[in-house]
Amino acid sequence: MLRNYSNSRTLGDNIRLGTLTAFTAGTINIASLLIFLSFTSNVTGHYAILAAEISKANWSQVAVVGLWIFLFFFGGFVSNFIVINFNKKSKYFAHAMPLVLEIICLLFVGIYGQFYYRKSLEETQYLVAVMLFATGLQNGLTASISNFSVKTTHLTGTTTDLGILFSMFTQKKFRKNGELVGRAKLLMSIMVAYVLGAVFSGLTYYYLEFRVFYVISLCLLVVIGYDAYKIHLRHFNTQYRYSKIYKKPNLLAFLYDKIHGSSEIKQKNDKKRKLIFEE
């Protein structure tokens, strides 16, 4: 999900990344709506509020909403800045770091809300600001590493694109286009995951309250941990192959043989199976 970058990503990479991050985005959005009466996974409505407050000359609110919009923008800026500056050193580190920052933000909101929140207007404004920065980080990361194919914090563009694709699928030639079908699968998976996340948040909030942000952080840790596991597994296999090619046994090769069985044993077993089958 996080290892590959831009055009080297497969449809499966994007679907896995889009599904998990859309689920967390839906959970965040409904949790913030129930707690703070404000959406935090997108800024479309905030632009409308900003314009309304400007027309009323309510400059204190203009400053607050303007800060919210800026922090969502700044989250996307920070994500892509990390990706393009650290990508050559370590793709995994560059792609995982924005999610680590998002987890820190969400844990801060959860801990502060659970132990210190007094429901004051100032506290609410600050916590909404932190959540908008967190979702900006997530949206910036998914868009950056997927070549703008995956955006998971809002569904306006997703719904529009699906409407266009489904209209195209009324013609047979478009239904046979693998790229368009794959795009539709990706968008549908994002939409379904976002709705499931929102439903989950709505059903569990009254039991978990601010602890729902711990669950969201756990989902993001799954995204980070999955790729860390894959990277270490690939390294393990590479070391094993190296030891076999150069006849230099090492601990990894020994463990691999114990877990999976050596190639010589497998060949003998294959021969036995073949003879039995032939008889």
Side-chain angles (χ1 to χ4, degrees):
M1 285 184 283
L2 298 177
R3 291 166 294 155
N4 297 327
Y5 181 62
S6 191
N7 293 326
S8 64
R9 296 179 63 82
T10 65
L11 176 63
D13 291 332
N14 287 337
I15 287 178
R16 284 190 291 272
L17 178 66
T19 300
L20 283 172
T21 54
F23 181 87
T24 61
T27 308
I28 291 170
N29 206 31
I30 296 304
S32 66
L33 179 63
L34 294 174
I35 299 170
F36 307 121
L37 302 179
S38 177
F39 293 110
T40 56
S41 72
N42 61 81
V43 291
T44 305
H46 295 312
Y47 275 106
I49 294 171
L50 179 68
E53 297 300 336
I54 290 174
S55 66
K56 296 175 185 177
N58 191 353
W59 303 116
S60 61
Q61 284 302 108
V62 168
V64 170
V65 179
L67 177 64
W68 289 353
I69 294 171
F70 171 78
L71 284 172
F72 189 88
F73 154 82
F74 189 62
F77 171 87
V78 170
S79 281
N80 194 60
F81 182 84
I82 293 172
V83 169
I84 62 177
N85 283 283
F86 293 96
N87 205 33
K88 291 183 180 179
K89 296 180 181 179
S90 171
K91 286 183 180 179
Y92 175 73
F93 172 82
H95 299 170
M97 184 51 60
L99 290 184
V100 172
L101 294 176
E102 182 182 0
I103 290 171
I104 292 171
C105 292
L106 295 175
L107 288 177
F108 171 79
V109 173
I111 293 170
Y112 186 91
Q114 185 177 356
F115 298 105
Y116 305 105
Y117 185 51
R118 297 294 177 266
K119 299 183 179 181
S120 68
L121 179 61
E122 292 77 12
E123 286 177 307
T124 300
Q125 291 172 344
Y126 287 131
L127 292 176
V128 169
V130 173
M131 293 177 68
L132 281 164
F133 176 69
T135 52
L137 283 167
Q138 178 178 306
N139 207 41
L141 173 70
T142 56
S144 178
I145 67 176
S146 67
N147 198 22
F148 298 96
S149 296
V150 180
K151 294 179 183 178
T152 57
T153 61
H154 55 278
L155 298 181
T156 306
T158 302
T159 306
T160 303
D161 291 348
L162 277 173
I164 293 170
L165 286 170
F166 275 77
S167 70
M168 295 174 72
F169 291 154
T170 58
Q171 295 188 12
K172 189 175 181 179
K173 63 178 181 179
F174 293 120
R175 291 197 297 271
K176 291 185 176 181
N177 188 315
E179 184 176 349
L180 293 178
V181 172
R183 177 68 177 165
K185 288 180 180 178
L186 172 61
L187 296 177
M188 283 296 297
S189 66
I190 290 172
M191 178 180 289
V192 171
Y194 188 98
V195 173
L196 289 176
V199 172
F200 169 80
S201 184
L203 292 175
T204 60
Y205 165 73
Y206 296 104
Y207 302 99
L208 299 176
E209 295 183 340
F210 278 94
R211 290 186 291 273
V212 72
F213 294 105
Y214 305 152
V215 177
I216 300 168
S217 299
L218 182 62
C219 292
L220 293 173
L221 280 175
V222 170
V223 177
I224 296 173
Y226 175 84
D227 272 66
Y229 165 75
K230 286 291 186 179
I231 289 170
H232 283 86
L233 182 64
R234 184 173 60 182
H235 179 70
F236 185 94
N237 292 335
T238 300
Q239 291 293 316
Y240 170 73
R241 287 195 299 269
Y242 177 87
S243 70
K244 287 297 184 183
I245 292 170
Y246 295 100
K247 306 299 181 183
K248 293 181 179 179
N250 55 35
L251 179 61
L252 289 175
F254 174 76
L255 291 173
Y256 191 95
D257 284 337
K258 286 293 183 183
I259 296 170
H260 301 282
S262 66
S263 57
E264 295 175 359
I265 294 173
K266 284 185 177 181
Q267 288 176 1
K268 289 179 181 179
N269 289 337
D270 290 341
K271 286 181 180 178
K272 288 181 180 178
R273 291 194 194 97
K274 192 172 183 181
L275 289 171
I276 292 170
F277 180 78
E278 288 175 352
E279 290 176 0

